[in-house]
Amino acid sequence: VTRIALMTLGPVEPRVLRLMGETLESTFGAHILPLTALPDPAHAFDMGRAQYSSTVILRDVLGKKPPGAAKIVAITERDLFIPMLTFVFGQAQIDGAAAVVSLARLRTEYYGGEPDSALLVERALKEVVHETGHTFGLTHCHNTSCPMSLSNTVEQVDGKGKDLCVSCSLLLADRLRNPISKE
Ligand SMILES: [Zn+2]
Ligand SMILES: [Zn+2]
């Protein structure tokens, strides 16, 4: 069975983390290996942008992968960016081992609304499936209700579900039988 190490960078609500882990277990037929929480990724902070470099974080996360885990997924409340984009909900290595998901812009309060923990969880589950799916070789899906479809806005996140579409499920089943790892 595939083992996915799950870690946090800075504080993350335990309930949200647990539900994300359960969704990874059911979606990828995996066992979750919970890792010790790490502090805020201060060295990944970009003063000019007042955001955290997703690329720096991803590299660090990869270095934390225990030998017994095929994948490592990090969850953070910090707002992530890559140079060419305003922000990212997360980042992952396609066919690799590491993924990171940010909850910052999945929160209704980020957009000036009241906190909505049910909606936060729903969004977090879709995005953790999306980023982890990339590590299993899944690419962006054209089916806008599939969690592997690309979301650039929170409205696009809300428009999709957390269950993989039939074609992504078939691809995943194939990858689980014939794993490729380009760590
Ligand atoms: Zn993606
Ligand atoms: Zn799909």
Side-chain angles (χ1 to χ4, degrees):
V1 68
T2 308
R3 282 181 197 282
I4 301 177
L6 189 60
M7 69 187 284
T8 55
L9 297 166
V12 172
E13 285 169 56
R15 178 175 159 274
V16 176
L17 186 67
R18 178 175 51 79
L19 292 169
M20 291 173 92
E22 286 173 8
T23 293
L24 291 181
E25 289 188 327
S26 60
T27 306
F28 299 99
H31 279 171
I32 292 297
L33 202 66
L35 301 187
T36 313
L38 288 187
D40 262 330
H43 62 285
F45 189 70
D46 183 296
M47 298 281 273
R49 298 186 54 136
Q51 287 175 301
Y52 292 76
S53 163
S54 159
T55 314
V56 169
I57 289 178
L58 204 57
R59 195 184 52 218
D60 292 354
V61 166
L62 186 59
K64 304 284 182 200
K65 187 175 74 65
K71 312 288 180 192
I72 180 163
V73 178
I75 315 299
T76 185
E77 286 282 355
R78 303 303 153 216
D79 191 24
L80 306 179
F81 77 95
I82 57 173
M84 70 197 73
L85 294 176
T86 313
F87 76 96
V88 289
F89 289 124
Q91 194 185 345
Q93 302 173 300
I94 307 266
D95 268 326
V100 59
V101 173
S102 166
L103 303 179
R105 297 191 190 225
L106 301 180
R107 290 186 169 278
T108 41
E109 55 269 46
Y110 183 87
Y111 308 92
E114 290 297 315
D116 184 337
S117 80
L119 188 54
L120 170 67
V121 166
E122 204 176 285
R123 290 169 172 173
L125 300 186
K126 296 169 188 179
E127 291 310 296
V128 80
V129 167
H130 182 101
E131 298 304 342
T132 308
H134 281 321
T135 69
F136 284 95
L138 299 182
T139 53
H140 288 152
C141 182
H142 295 299
N143 180 340
T144 54
S145 61
C146 176
M148 288 314 298
S149 67
L150 174 64
S151 299
N152 292 313
T153 66
V154 83
E155 288 77 16
Q156 288 169 320
V157 176
D158 290 340
K160 59 190 186 180
K162 73 172 174 65
D163 298 322
L164 294 173
C165 74
V166 174
S167 92
C168 288
S169 298
L170 289 171
L171 272 169
L172 175 65
D174 186 56
R175 285 310 175 91
L176 290 172
R177 277 193 303 271
N178 308 292
I180 299 171
S181 199
K182 292 190 298 194
E183 294 170 35

